[in-house]
Amino acid sequence: MRPRFMPVLRAKLLAAGLAFIAVCASAQDIDETALAERVDQQMTQLLAQYPVPGASIAIAYQGKLVYQRGYGMAVTETNTPVTPITRFRIGSVSKAVTAVAVLKLFEQELPQALDRPVFGPAGLLPDAAYPDFAQPLDQRVLKITLRDLLQHTSGWGGSDYDPQYDLVNIAKARQVPAPASAHDVIAYVLKQRLLDAAPGSEYFYGNFAYNVLGRIIEHKSGMPYEQAVQALVFHPAGVEDAAIAGDRRIERAANETVYYDDPRWPAVADRDGSGATGPQSYSALHFKAMDATAGWMATATDLVHFADATLGRGVPALLQPQTLALMKQRNPAQAENNYGLGWVVTRSNGVQILSHSGALTTGTYAYLQWRADGWTWAVLMNRLPLPYPPEQGVTELQAFQVAVQRGLMNAIVNPAAP
């Protein structure tokens, strides 16, 4: 996706104003056959309404998996169907994973660690260890805290520029081979870009801050990001299939779907700087550089297990109660900011909801929701039906998101809803 379109897409995909209906039930009240019929009907309708080749859904109630199924094709060319073990890229749902890893790493130092500076001689990424990050162009960077990164109040992200999609130009500026690494992206931004606002003053949802969080995880743990998150989050949650995705179709992992860009979307320049063009899903993305912000792939069931393990539903919680309370806190000074620490935190009919969506133009859509009334569910798709140019399709994109989120939620917890 061209960087200037990112704010529109991010805002629409992360909007949390959908009015879900909350219906509480006890475990013995769940009619799994009826639930399956309702969900199947809704998923069939979605895939008929929108040109999505394949999707997967997993649903749990009170920590018990009550439904999982694949729909449509994982590989259309070979008529390979999606199954519950099909893995998908999860886009920005990766941010919730990164946030939980950060909170786990710093758990014994919370809440004070949230107010520690990130950059500078005594920062979480200290100048001595990261000389490329020292002496930023904008001295306000030295006031950015760990909380700012987690909550999208670092001051980055208010413009149309997203450095995570500018890997060729950044590589040229840094005089390194394209695509630029996560480290080079950070060094470039610190040396070449001004903040869009003072740290802590405004909420700008974006990708770059979570790239920085990934490097904090590496420095604090002494391990590469992927290895650290596996050890801190996924393995304790019983998740074995999550991994950082490969860039190319030839790098597709076992049981991973193929991603089918919306046919209305044109070919894009390859992120390797060769001048070649190709589909967005296999030419424009470099997952090692976007690991902590949008790099993971997993099954829908993996995501349900991750959310339930994080919050201690059905299994011991990954995080202590006081840490979970911090994770759910929204910024009281910013009414428009419904982001806690790594999760969108909302409430509907008295029920607290933690959720996150994810999208990679135009081959991935993902959504994960944990509800205090007992339900946890995730849906993954191998196409985001985003028309081109995207600024002319905002209404269509929003309608798609409403159809997926509200339609499925009503099918799961409120069978009487129209």
Side-chain angles (χ1 to χ4, degrees), residues 189-313:
V189 170
L190 291 175
K191 299 293 187 180
Q192 303 292 333
R193 304 284 302 189
L194 296 173
L195 291 176
D196 300 300
S201 65
E202 295 191 52
Y203 167 76
F204 300 130
Y205 178 81
N207 290 313
F208 178 68
Y210 271 70
N211 177 356
V212 178
L213 286 170
R215 312 301 60 89
I216 291 174
I217 289 173
E218 291 181 332
H219 184 70
K220 177 75 169 175
S221 70
M223 294 184 284
Y225 168 82
E226 182 177 12
Q227 182 182 346
V229 174
Q230 296 280 16
L232 289 163
V233 178
F234 282 130
H235 290 166
V239 172
E240 301 296 333
D241 289 332
I244 298 300
D247 298 349
R248 310 294 194 184
R249 180 165 176 169
I250 197 173
E251 298 170 350
R252 188 165 61 98
N255 297 321
E256 185 183 4
T257 188
V258 171
Y259 307 96
Y260 295 94
D261 284 5
D262 191 296
R264 296 170 289 185
W265 200 267
V268 298
D270 198 288
R271 87 288 185 276
D272 65 5
S274 65
T277 61
Q280 180 91 18
S281 290
Y282 290 113
S283 298
L285 306 172
H286 183 42
F287 289 99
K288 288 183 179 179
M290 55 198 297
D291 52 3
T293 191
W296 288 95
M297 67 172 177
T299 68
T301 302
D302 289 337
L303 295 185
V304 167
H305 289 326
F306 154 69
D308 278 345
T310 295
L311 289 125
R313 178 175 284 164

Side-chain angles (χ1 to χ4, degrees), residues 95-110:
K95 292 180 173 66
V97 175
T98 295
V100 172
V102 168
L103 293 172
K104 186 67 176 176
L105 262 178
F106 286 91
E107 192 156 39
Q108 301 308 313
E109 305 166 51
L110 297 174

Side-chain angles (χ1 to χ4, degrees), residues 323-345:
T323 307
L324 291 174
L326 289 170
M327 187 180 76
K328 299 174 186 178
Q329 286 182 2
R330 294 162 45 166
N331 191 325
Q334 297 172 331
E336 78 284 1
N337 184 355
N338 58 14
Y339 213 85
L341 301 182
W343 299 81
V344 176
V345 183

Side-chain angles (χ1 to χ4, degrees), residues 9-188:
L9 179 60
R10 288 198 296 257
K12 294 303 178 183
L13 288 175
L14 207 68
L18 304 183
F20 296 125
I21 304 299
V23 176
C24 296
S26 61
Q28 59 267 31
D29 291 333
I30 302 300
D31 184 337
E32 296 183 21
T33 300
L35 172 68
E37 291 176 353
R38 297 194 304 270
V39 172
D40 286 352
Q41 181 179 13
Q42 184 64 28
M43 288 296 294
T44 300
Q45 180 179 326
L46 282 170
L47 269 61
Q49 182 178 0
Y50 295 98
V52 175
S56 180
I57 191 167
I59 305 166
Y61 185 74
Q62 299 294 15
K64 176 191 174 185
L65 193 66
V66 294
Y67 192 64
Q68 56 180 339
R69 186 183 165 186
Y71 299 84
M73 292 293 114
V75 186
T76 61
E77 296 86 346
T78 58
N79 290 321
T80 303
V82 176
T83 73
I85 65 170
T86 302
R87 295 193 281 182
F88 292 72
R89 297 170 179 172
I90 66 172
S92 285
V93 179
S94 301
K95 292 180 173 66
V97 175
T98 295
V100 172
V102 168
L103 293 172
K104 186 67 176 176
L105 262 178
F106 286 91
E107 192 156 39
Q108 301 308 313
E109 305 166 51
L110 297 174
Q112 292 80 7
L114 293 175
D115 297 318
R116 286 187 58 184
V118 174
F119 300 104
L124 296 172
L125 295 174
D127 292 349
Y130 298 90
D132 287 353
F133 299 171
Q135 297 300 317
L137 176 66
D138 192 330
Q139 289 296 296
R140 295 177 298 174
V141 163
L142 300 178
K143 297 182 179 180
I144 294 171
T145 66
L146 184 63
R147 186 194 306 271
D148 290 328
L149 296 179
L150 286 164
Q151 205 162 33
H152 297 292
T153 57
S154 65
W156 284 302
S159 69
D160 290 343
Y161 179 69
D162 188 334
Q164 301 298 146
Y165 287 82
D166 194 25
L167 302 183
V168 174
N169 289 327
I170 290 175
K172 289 179 181 177
R174 295 279 297 163
Q175 298 183 337
V176 296
S181 69
H183 179 103
D184 283 314
V185 170
I186 296 172
Y188 172 83

